[in-house]
Amino acid sequence: MDGNFIFRSIGKADLVFFVLLLCSIPVFCGMKNDALNVMIYAHFICYGCNNAFLIYLYRKLSMLGEIRSFIIPRIGAHKAENHILVNNVAAVLTYQLILNLFLFLFYDVIVGEWLAYVPAFLVLNTFMCFIESTIVSFAFFRKRGIALIMIAICVNMAFHYLAVPALFPA
């Protein structure tokens, strides 16, 4: 198991799915919004994109779960966990980079007092994505399955509906 498992396991269907998901952002978030409103206040990215990414990570880790009994004796449990966590960090960074580049390329960025919210939100959202992907990783490490993916999705929803309105008032 090398450090690129999640990236090498991206199939054509996964790639098409994520491209369609990105292309559906303007449909569900509207064309008249700016990047800040779409990132922070639109619900589709939270419901659609972030949760789809968490489920994608879970699916890929489930593939590893099928060969878990072969991996751990070979490289050790600690090294396997480190590989998976490094993979998840790389996957989160790649996902956030592609999502945010798409948003900034497609939507206008309004310059003004709201501009300070953008970097703060990007850092906070990426950090939350790390936390959520770590929870998904625990599903693999602890063999808890769907319960932990549901916790990660609930954390995503709580962040979007509780923390974001408190930190970034409209």
Side-chain angles (χ1 to χ4, degrees), residues 117-131:
Y117 284 159
V118 173
F121 178 76
L122 292 178
V123 169
L124 188 59
N125 192 41
T126 303
F127 180 71
M128 287 305 297
C129 226
F130 284 141
I131 290 172

Side-chain angles (χ1 to χ4, degrees), residues 14-149:
D14 297 328
L15 192 59
V16 168
F17 173 74
F18 279 111
V19 167
L20 289 174
L21 196 62
L22 284 177
C23 292
S24 66
I25 290 173
V27 173
F28 291 107
C29 295
M31 299 291 292
K32 296 179 182 176
N33 289 326
D34 57 272
L36 179 74
N37 284 321
V38 171
M39 278 190 296
I40 297 176
Y41 304 113
H43 301 296
F44 177 72
I45 292 178
C46 173
Y47 281 134
C49 300
N50 291 352
N51 289 339
F53 176 72
L54 292 173
I55 292 169
Y56 171 78
L57 279 180
Y58 178 74
R59 253 188 40 225
K60 293 305 171 184
L61 288 173
S62 294
M63 289 171 46
L64 272 180
E66 295 172 5
I67 58 172
R68 177 189 180 108
S69 60
F70 300 110
I71 293 173
I72 291 181
R74 210 166 156 208
I75 65 172
H78 183 69
K79 197 170 183 180
E81 289 174 358
N82 285 342
H83 278 297
I84 289 170
L85 289 175
V86 167
N87 256 342
N88 280 355
V89 167
V92 165
L93 286 175
T94 304
Y95 165 71
Q96 289 291 318
L97 180 71
I98 291 170
L99 177 67
N100 294 322
L101 279 175
F102 177 81
L103 290 174
F104 286 126
L105 290 174
F106 198 84
Y107 290 100
D108 294 332
V109 178
I110 294 180
V111 179
E113 65 185 69
W114 294 97
L115 191 60
Y117 284 159
V118 173
F121 178 76
L122 292 178
V123 169
L124 188 59
N125 192 41
T126 303
F127 180 71
M128 287 305 297
C129 226
F130 284 141
I131 290 172
E132 294 158 5
S133 72
T134 303
I135 292 170
V136 171
S137 297
F138 285 135
F140 173 76
F141 300 146
R142 307 294 178 246
K143 298 181 183 178
R144 295 284 185 241
I146 200 72
L148 286 174
I149 187 70

